[in-house]
């Protein structure tokens, strides 16, 4: 029988008010029909990860599989309720805020992490000069890289505070939160072009090994799709996230609207 888990309640926090992505700015977001600046999807994803981390601990961080789709915004200062049901070793996860369904997803614990070869993913530098985004920026089949990112010491502690994560495993074992992997996935877009307001709409992440606090994280990403749907321009990425140039951390698929309707028409 399905087992409904205790709701995990989060006081949502918009960590990106000062970011280049003005979809997190109250004034700009309202222009696109939202009530205010959006809490980043990668942080909502981090809220969702609390449930499988609490359920499976280090095993999940080493080989867990999680995917999420972001349906409606979560806003700064609002309560986000993460509900989960477990059935046949699968967690079905939903995020509600303002009584609305904001995100859905699933998480599971494979028996082993799949084997992944670094050589199957091409390491490339970020562009020498970022230029305004266009459909040509994300040409299908193109490889994209990221500037290395590292969270250690106070930066790592601040991240856990920002995403409201109090599970002691990260501090106790010196581990990096997998939400950081998603932040670096977003950088595939930001490091390679000048974007206007944009929206992360969904991700799938197969963890391959537990990140350590202070790891230098980079991404080797291939553009697998670039298309228009209902006036929005979407990009899909298939990527390997790597620690310290040698250790595969996660295999990720990442989907974003890089030109929302209003901007695409401008």
């Amino acid at each position: 029988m399905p087992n409904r888990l205790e709701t995990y309640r989060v006081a949502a926090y918009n960590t990106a008010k000062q970011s280049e992505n003005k979809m997190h700015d109250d004034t700009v977001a309202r222009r696109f029909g939202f009530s205010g600046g959006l809490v980043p999807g990668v942080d909502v994803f981090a809220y969702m990860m609390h449930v499988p981390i609490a359920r499976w601990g280090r095993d999940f961080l080493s080989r867990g599989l999680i995917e999420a789709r972001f349906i409606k915004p979560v806003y700064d200062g609002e309560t986000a309720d993460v509900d989960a049901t477990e059935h046949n070793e699968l967690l079905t996860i939903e995020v509600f805020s303002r009584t609305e369904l904001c995100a859905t997803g699933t998480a599971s614990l494979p028996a082993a992490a799949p084997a992944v070869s670094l050589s199957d993913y091409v390491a490339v530098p970020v562009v020498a000069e970022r230029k305004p985004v266009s459909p040509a920026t994300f040409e299908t089949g193109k490889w994209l890289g990221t500037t290395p990112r590292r969270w250690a010491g106070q930066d790592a502690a601040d991240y856990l505070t920002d995403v409201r994560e109090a599970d002691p495993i990260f501090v106790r074992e010196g581990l990096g939160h997998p939400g950081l992997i998603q932040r670096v996935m977003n950088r595939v877009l930001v490091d390679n072009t000048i974007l206007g307001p944009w929206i992360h709409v969904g991700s799938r992440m197969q963890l391959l090994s537990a990140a350590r606090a202070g790891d230098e994280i980079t991404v080797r990403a291939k553009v697998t799709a670039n298309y228009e749907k209902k006036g929005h321009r979407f990009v899909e990425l298939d990527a390997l996230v790597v620690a310290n140039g040698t250790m595969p951390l996660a295999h990720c698929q990442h989907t974003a609207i890089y030109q929302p309707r209003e901007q695409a028409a401008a």
Side-chain angles (χ1 to χ4, degrees):
M1 292 290 291
N3 176 35
R4 185 176 177 83
L5 306 184
E6 182 179 355
T7 295
Y8 173 58
R9 182 159 288 175
V10 183
Y13 173 51
N14 180 5
T15 61
K17 290 179 182 178
Q18 305 304 317
S19 80
E20 282 187 23
N21 183 3
K22 295 307 178 185
M23 200 62 84
H24 304 297
D25 175 87
D26 289 341
T27 301
V28 175
R30 289 189 183 107
R31 211 176 70 225
F32 285 83
F34 299 110
S35 298
L38 281 58
V39 172
V42 292
D43 292 344
V44 176
F45 204 4
Y47 304 161
M48 298 169 76
M49 289 181 209
H50 175 86
V51 179
I53 292 167
R55 172 69 178 82
W56 292 303
R58 178 67 176 260
D59 286 342
F60 182 79
L61 297 174
S62 300
R63 65 177 194 271
L65 173 64
I66 184 166
E67 52 189 301
R69 178 170 164 261
F70 307 110
I71 301 166
K72 289 195 178 274
V74 173
Y75 294 107
D76 186 59
E78 297 286 344
T79 297
D81 285 339
V82 183
D83 292 335
T85 301
E86 183 174 3
H87 184 56
N88 292 335
E89 300 297 316
L90 179 74
L91 291 174
T92 300
I93 305 170
E94 295 177 320
V95 179
F96 290 89
S97 187
R98 295 184 169 187
T99 73
E100 292 189 313
L101 178 63
C102 297
T104 63
T106 60
S108 59
L109 186 68
V116 175
S117 174
L118 274 175
S119 62
D120 290 339
Y121 291 82
V122 180
V124 298
V126 299
V127 295
E129 179 186 359
R130 293 193 306 156
K131 296 181 179 178
V133 70
S134 73
T137 304
F138 299 120
E139 181 183 359
T140 301
K142 186 176 184 178
W143 287 96
L144 299 168
T146 55
T147 302
R149 294 305 192 292
R150 187 192 300 269
W151 286 266
Q154 193 59 47
D155 287 341
D158 288 346
Y159 173 80
L160 295 174
T161 299
D162 285 349
V163 298
R164 309 316 197 220
E165 183 53 73
D167 194 303
I169 191 171
F170 298 104
V171 174
R172 185 179 68 236
E173 301 191 27
L175 300 177
H177 193 286
L180 295 171
I181 294 172
Q182 290 297 307
R183 282 199 177 181
V184 182
M185 282 298 303
N186 268 354
R187 300 305 303 189
V188 176
L189 281 68
V190 177
D191 286 350
N192 290 286
T193 190
I194 300 171
L195 291 160
W198 62 279
I199 304 170
H200 173 209
V201 297
S203 285
R204 180 183 189 272
M205 179 167 65
Q206 169 65 65
L207 295 168
L208 303 170
S209 59
R212 306 289 306 182
D215 278 347
E216 184 180 82
I217 304 175
T218 53
V219 179
R220 304 177 182 189
K222 186 177 184 179
V223 178
T224 54
N226 179 347
Y227 54 91
E228 183 273 334
K229 183 178 180 182
K230 297 182 178 178
H232 300 303
R233 295 291 317 183
F234 286 79
V235 61
E236 296 182 6
L237 304 170
D238 179 272
L240 188 66
V241 182
V242 180
N244 308 314
T246 59
M247 176 67 74
L249 288 179
H251 177 212
C252 297
Q253 282 91 40
H254 207 69
T255 304
I257 296 172
Y258 67 90
Q259 283 185 320
R261 244 187 325 261
E262 176 181 315
Q263 186 184 359

